[in-house]
Amino acid sequence: MFKKVLVANRGEIACRIIRTLKEMGITAVAVYSDADADAEHVAMADEAYNIGPAPAKESYLNTDKILAVMNDHGVEAVHPGYGFLSENVEFRKACLELGVEFIGPEERHILEFGLKHMARDLAESAGVPLVPGTPLLNSLEEALEAAEHIGYPVMLKSTAGGGGIGMRICNESDELEAHYDTIKRLGKNYFKDEGVFLEKYIRTSRHIEVQVFGNGKGEVVVLGERDCSVQRRNQKVIEETPAPNISEETRAALHAAAKALTEKVAYRSAGTVEFIYDTETEQFYFLEVNTRLQVEHGITEEVFGVDLVRWMVELAAGEDPTPGKFDLKPSGCAMEFRVYAEDPGKEYQPSSGIITKAEFPEGIRVDKWVETGAEVSAYYDPLLAKVIVTGSTRDETVARSVDVLSNTAICGFETNIQLMRQVLEDETFRRGEVFTGLLNTFDYRADTIEVVVPGTQTTVQDVPGRIGYWGIGVPPSGPMDMLSFRIANRLVGNAENAAALEMTMSGGVIGLTVMPLWRWPAVT
């Protein structure tokens, strides 16, 4: 077994991997940017090294600096997590040349499945159903001709990359003409590959994926499926396992298809085979393979009682964790709620700033990197935490999730916690009739006040204000009318010293969402 492993990532996934490494008795090495100097994964690690400025290309994507840390500090293996360098073949090669084991799939699997048109060819050869589509396109004219043959709407896709980048729905030829060069440019800029192709777009679809783990000898463990249909901008928000409202025959067919594809290539390590499920025809089609650990791997771990990170480390160290695991059965249901630093009421506008309060209920799994006082920068992915809730049935898990999210709070800026609470109350979701366009039709109601025009001297205050700082030149502050301030807080059921919006000279313009009186902040 390895003695020292570097985690080439940040955020909650870095914390998750470091936790497992330490449980295994392995020295965990972290890397961090200037913006993450005080981050949780840095504090958790046994060793931590700065690799540069905040921008990812100068730190977490700077392979030279990461390789130098490994070389200088006796690192034996590297776990890339997901995102950043997790599917970077050149980084994998450089690690092996340095004598450092890459904890993840083999180079050929990353290459073959990393390009979606090649993945489609492999899926077809394994007998996996495919959405009607094209090979790589050579011109806009070829794309337009193919779209007419397939029938609109179509999805224009970059062959490289992922995370929702490089995808556009085209309902007619004008839209395809408008987006063609844009998607090629996105592929080139983000993934250094401008290849594009078309697939038939299924309007009412679900996103269902199957978790696999291969030992590289042609044997693959299938660890159930996850429904990841609740998405915004092709990015997942809520995931659950098992997938609701599909027949057992369909479930078995999904597992068999994923197993056939990954066993055909003798897949090694953790991976996910993703499918599009047509809710009208009840047919499923191959989408792609993610050759890495998935963000939502935690819900699979909860229902199967496994540790996928540990399995990945053991396999990379030459130990096969799969014997005796081929007949594992799930127990109960699990849901994951991705807490993002973003404002759903403003088209998911990113948030950043200091977290003034971070509270999560006891007794549940929360994979997170934030706590009270943490600073969330604008440089990285907005994922703050993954709240994972389990239950014996789906109904029980939904009921528990309502309570859990009602007692989850991150203050200091807007997050999507309230959105997810409202989704849980939605009848469509409750019936398990999820689909990828659910959030596009969802009527989100934010319990917030927006200061549209501030007026003169409109501030946020609390009682007694900022006192005791004369010594460093800060005069006392606080509400102009402390009595009215306290009365306003009492009227809406707040503590008398709760922060409130105070307008002292001329009123501004504020935007309000209609809400029960007891949920209002005070305005004086």
Side-chain angles (χ1 to χ4, degrees):
M1 182 52 65
F2 303 120
K3 293 182 180 179
K4 183 180 286 192
V5 173
L6 182 139
V7 181
N9 217 301
R10 64 174 301 279
E12 39 71 47
I13 185 56
C15 295
R16 162 77 178 90
I17 296 169
I18 289 170
R19 188 175 297 110
T20 292
L21 292 174
K22 298 183 77 168
E23 289 172 356
M24 297 176 72
I26 298 171
T27 298
V29 181
V31 290
Y32 63 93
S33 69
D34 292 345
D36 281 339
D38 298 319
E40 187 172 352
H41 77 280
V42 177
M44 288 178 62
D46 298 299
E47 300 176 19
Y49 302 98
N50 185 291
I51 51 171
K57 67 179 181 180
E58 299 178 44
S59 50
Y60 297 107
L61 291 173
N62 191 320
T63 56
D64 289 341
K65 290 185 178 179
I66 295 173
L67 290 166
V69 169
M70 293 191 288
N71 185 59
D72 294 344
H73 299 283
V75 170
E76 299 169 273
V78 57
H79 198 308
Y82 41 71
F84 290 138
L85 299 170
S86 60
E87 294 173 289
N88 186 305
V89 172
E90 294 306 316
F91 177 65
R92 188 186 190 283
K93 286 181 181 177
C95 290
L96 297 182
E97 289 173 1
L98 192 64
V100 174
E101 187 67 27
F102 182 86
I103 301 175
E106 295 178 5
E107 177 182 333
R108 63 190 180 94
H109 296 144
I110 298 174
L111 285 172
E112 291 170 349
F113 289 123
L115 296 175
K116 296 182 180 66
H117 72 285
M118 292 181 65
R120 279 177 60 92
D121 292 343
L122 286 171
E124 186 174 27
S125 68
V128 180
L130 294 176
V131 177
T134 71
L136 287 183
L137 298 164
N138 296 310
S139 66
L140 173 60
E141 291 70 25
E142 186 178 338
L144 291 168
E145 183 179 344
E148 290 295 335
H149 176 73
I150 295 170
Y152 289 96
V154 294
M155 178 75 84
L156 178 63
K157 289 185 173 183
S158 169
T159 187
I165 299 173
M167 301 168 63
R168 289 290 190 281
I169 300 168
C170 304
N171 294 292
E172 55 187 30
S173 59
D174 288 348
E175 292 183 11
L176 180 54
E177 290 181 13
H179 295 313
Y180 185 81
D181 288 336
T182 300
I183 296 303
K184 287 178 67 70
R185 185 167 58 252
L186 282 172
K188 183 176 181 179
N189 291 344
Y190 279 89
F191 312 115
K192 298 181 180 179
D193 192 318
E194 62 179 8
V196 296
F197 66 102
L198 288 176
E199 282 184 346
K200 176 68 178 175
Y201 177 68
I202 300 172
R203 290 189 185 276
T204 309
S205 63
R206 292 170 61 180
H207 186 156
I208 300 178
E209 61 189 27
V210 177
Q211 177 69 59
V212 298
F213 192 94
N215 62 9
K217 303 173 185 176
E219 298 173 319
V220 172
V221 178
V222 174
L223 295 164
E225 81 291 335
R226 300 181 288 252
D227 190 295
C228 309
S229 300
V230 183
Q231 305 177 359
R232 52 75 171 133
R233 296 177 181 170
N234 298 311
Q235 285 275 34
K236 302 162 189 173
V237 177
I238 300 174
E239 301 102 342
E240 62 179 292
T241 185
N245 290 344
I246 62 172
S247 68
E248 290 308 310
E249 291 77 13
T250 298
R251 199 183 311 277
L254 282 162
H255 296 178
K259 187 177 181 69
L261 174 56
T262 49
E263 284 190 341
K264 182 179 178 63
V265 299
Y267 189 80
R268 183 173 183 269
S269 197
T272 308
V273 185
E274 305 203 358
F275 299 93
I276 287 293
Y277 177 83
D278 189 331
T279 60
E280 295 179 358
T281 65
E282 299 185 355
Q283 300 295 311
F284 65 85
Y285 305 96
F286 174 76
L287 180 61
E288 64 181 348
V289 174
N290 283 310
T291 53
R292 53 173 167 77
L293 196 65
Q294 283 282 78
V295 177
E296 58 273 16
H297 71 278
I299 55 175
T300 295
E301 292 181 327
E302 291 300 307
V303 299
F304 278 92
V306 300
D307 185 332
L308 289 171
V309 172
R310 178 184 286 267
W311 282 19
M312 293 178 74
V313 175
E314 289 174 345
L315 186 65
E319 302 175 11
D320 187 351
T322 61
K325 307 293 195 313
F326 291 91
D327 294 320
L328 285 174
K329 302 297 182 185
S331 177
C333 173
M335 292 184 175
E336 175 178 281
F337 302 89
R338 299 193 188 189
V339 180
Y340 288 120
E342 63 187 19
D343 187 350
K346 293 184 177 180
E347 299 295 326
Y348 302 100
Q349 174 180 297
S351 303
S352 61
I354 302 294
I355 294 179
T356 57
K357 181 173 74 172
E359 290 184 352
F360 300 93
E362 297 291 333
I364 63 163
R365 175 173 171 177
V366 180
D367 290 358
K368 63 180 180 65
W369 70 272
V370 295
E371 58 187 10
T372 300
E375 182 175 1
V376 176
S377 76
Y379 288 102
Y380 311 116
D381 185 275
L383 183 61
L384 305 177
K386 300 179 303 189
V387 177
I388 298 173
V389 185
T390 59
S392 58
T393 64
R394 186 177 191 272
D395 287 344
E396 179 185 326
T397 305
V398 170
R400 289 194 65 199
S401 298
V402 171
D403 182 63
V404 166
L405 290 184
S406 296
N407 290 282
T408 298
I410 292 182
C411 303
F413 45 73
E414 289 296 315
T415 71
N416 67 329
I417 294 174
Q418 191 174 99
L419 168 70
M420 294 189 291
R421 285 202 300 259
Q422 292 179 26
V423 171
L424 286 171
E425 301 288 354
D426 181 73
E427 283 303 314
T428 300
F429 182 86
R430 293 240 169 180
R431 292 192 300 267
E433 297 173 359
V434 291
F435 61 101
T436 55
L438 178 64
L439 291 186
N440 296 334
T441 63
F442 190 74
D443 184 22
Y444 172 61
R445 304 287 287 175
D447 292 351
T448 58
I449 289 178
E450 179 182 5
V451 180
V452 181
V453 179
T456 304
Q457 211 163 323
T458 297
T459 58
V460 176
Q461 298 287 355
D462 58 11
V463 173
R466 306 296 178 264
I467 58 176
Y469 295 100
W470 263 122
I472 56 173
V474 179
S477 62
M480 179 170 287
D481 184 343
M482 291 198 181
L483 176 60
S484 296
F485 185 95
R486 294 197 299 271
I487 291 172
N489 264 321
R490 292 186 65 180
L491 284 171
V492 296
N494 291 342
E496 288 189 351
N497 63 346
L501 189 65
E502 183 182 62
M503 300 179 179
T504 58
M505 292 191 67
S506 62
V509 177
I510 59 176
L512 296 175
T513 299
V514 177
M515 64 184 93
L517 179 62
W518 61 269
R519 298 177 74 173
W520 279 46
V523 180
T524 64

